[in-house]
Amino acid sequence: MDFHPTEEQAEAAGLAARIFRDLATHERLAAVGTGSDAELWKALTAAGLTAAVEDVGLLGLVLLLEEQGRTTAQVPYAATCAYGILPVAAHGSAEQRARLLPALGSGEAVATGAFPARGCITASPDGRLTGTAPVVPWLRDATHVLVPDADRALWLVRTDAPGVGTPEVETTAPWSAGRLTLAGTEAERLGDGRAYEEVLATARTAFAGLQAGVCAGSLARAVEYTSTREQFGRPLSTNQGVMLRAADAYMDTEAIRVTAYEAAWRIDEGLPAREHALTAAWWASEAGKRVVHAGQHLHGGMGADLDHPVHRHFLWGRQLDAYLGCGSELLAELGALLSDHAASEGDDA
């Protein structure tokens, strides 16, 4: 395994870091509220950072999403890439790729996904969908939604199609979320029966990368605060308890990052990666929760201020924990997968 970024991946991540740092400021984020920052989204797409995902691959996307997570930038970047650009590039027909990828890359189209499948949406033989997905991130920004039906076939739905409802839903983090309702809605099929598991593994890995950035940003703020805030004539960072809490948060953040990198690298290389994506999601859920709590706690009373920048990292970290699935659910799925693998190997023997 080689987790060193290529020159192209490193350049894309550096450009993303500059754009997010310059535009995703605390003041702008506060002004945006629960919506998306249209100017920032335009800057990202104009710089080619959405279209570039086709070339830099999932590992490159993880690097880019780390930069978004550091600033908790309010744009539908992870959703558009994980549920739009990468699935269409990997599983779309030639006609779908030609029609959809340019629009997704330019920002004219925005994608999200009703993942994971909950068996609540059914498809008729002629490709009409009916059902409800209770919470879909960035749905209020989306032009297209990738929807798995009860049989885990994948369908692309336009949000302006007849029979589609997208009422607003409030989530822990301000992710422009909505409830997707479908009433005999026309949809187009994407990929074959293998596509669902591959898209789910890709999305879990991408959002784990986003969580790595959220945690890194939270920890950076905590380090800066405890290094400058003094108590009894010395910086808080010199207290052993503070140092140990920060060290634990650093190790948790690195665990999220390295497991996301491994899953992304394997997917890019065409290797089996379902269990690796689950492992990355588990670390992002369980360790991510610990890190953002530590970041807020290390700010002391300031961490309780809802207007403080670190509170946004806390909200994003908890939202990603909920979105990826709680640790026990992910471990149960991972355990069942490993058990199935062991049983099949035993049968082969």
Side-chain angles (χ1 to χ4, degrees):
M1 291 177 289
D2 183 4
F3 297 158
H4 290 93
T6 64
E7 183 178 349
E8 188 177 30
Q9 289 170 339
E11 288 178 357
L15 177 58
R18 290 194 295 275
I19 293 173
F20 286 129
R21 184 175 59 246
D22 291 345
L23 294 182
T25 62
H26 175 56
E27 293 74 21
R28 285 178 61 90
L29 289 168
V32 167
T34 62
S36 295
D37 189 328
E39 183 181 344
L40 175 53
W41 182 238
K42 184 177 180 180
L44 286 171
T45 55
L49 288 174
T50 46
V53 172
E54 282 188 78
D55 300 316
V56 300
L58 183 54
L59 182 55
L61 175 59
V62 166
L63 296 172
L64 293 165
L65 291 177
E66 279 191 78
E67 300 304 333
Q68 180 186 3
R70 289 178 199 276
T71 58
T72 61
Q74 284 293 107
V75 285
Y77 191 43
T80 292
C81 295
Y83 297 124
I85 291 176
L86 291 180
V88 171
H91 304 289
S93 66
E95 186 277 330
Q96 287 174 321
R97 292 195 299 271
R99 171 166 48 90
L100 295 169
L101 289 176
L104 290 165
S106 69
E108 178 187 349
V110 174
T112 188
F115 275 67
R118 302 294 187 190
C120 52
I121 294 173
T122 58
S124 67
D126 61 346
R128 292 182 177 272
L129 305 184
T130 300
T132 300
V135 181
V136 179
W138 307 108
L139 180 61
R140 296 188 338 250
D141 296 328
T143 58
H144 295 75
V145 189
L146 189 60
V147 179
D149 65 20
D151 297 321
R152 298 189 173 183
L154 294 185
W155 303 86
L156 272 172
V157 176
R158 288 191 60 93
T159 55
D160 60 359
V164 177
T166 60
E168 180 176 349
V169 171
E170 185 176 347
T171 54
T172 301
W175 279 9
S176 297
R179 182 172 67 254
L180 178 68
T181 61
L182 303 171
T185 305
E186 259 189 81
E188 58 178 308
R189 182 74 180 267
L190 185 74
D192 57 23
R194 299 170 300 172
Y196 172 78
E197 291 296 349
E198 293 177 12
V199 173
L200 180 59
T202 294
R204 281 171 163 164
T205 303
F207 281 93
L210 184 62
Q211 182 75 301
V214 170
C215 291
S218 175
L219 183 58
R221 291 189 184 279
V223 168
E224 180 183 11
Y225 179 81
T226 57
S227 296
T228 55
R229 177 76 170 180
E230 291 191 355
Q231 187 179 58
F232 305 119
R234 62 177 188 170
L236 286 172
S237 59
T238 60
N239 294 327
Q240 187 180 43
V242 171
M243 288 189 284
L244 290 174
R245 190 77 186 275
D248 285 342
Y250 173 79
M251 294 301 294
D252 273 337
T253 301
E254 288 301 296
I256 300 169
R257 177 180 289 117
V258 74
T259 52
Y261 284 8
E262 181 179 10
W265 177 84
R266 292 184 66 89
I267 290 171
D268 284 342
E269 293 295 313
L271 298 171
R274 186 178 168 193
E275 55 263 53
H276 299 82
L278 273 167
T279 300
W282 181 84
W283 275 104
S285 176
E286 287 293 290
K289 189 164 43 183
R290 290 195 296 266
V291 173
V292 295
H293 274 267
Q296 196 168 33
H297 188 204
L298 288 171
H299 277 75
M302 293 298 292
D305 182 357
L306 301 186
D307 294 323
H308 195 283
V310 77
H311 187 66
R312 187 174 292 108
H313 290 270
F314 176 79
L315 295 178
W316 275 61
R318 291 311 308 255
Q319 183 63 51
L320 282 162
D321 165 42
Y323 183 64
L324 288 164
C326 73
S328 59
E329 291 177 336
L330 293 167
L331 279 183
E333 186 177 344
L334 179 58
L337 180 62
L338 294 175
S339 177
D340 289 344
H341 285 176
S344 69
E345 289 173 2
D347 292 339
D348 291 341

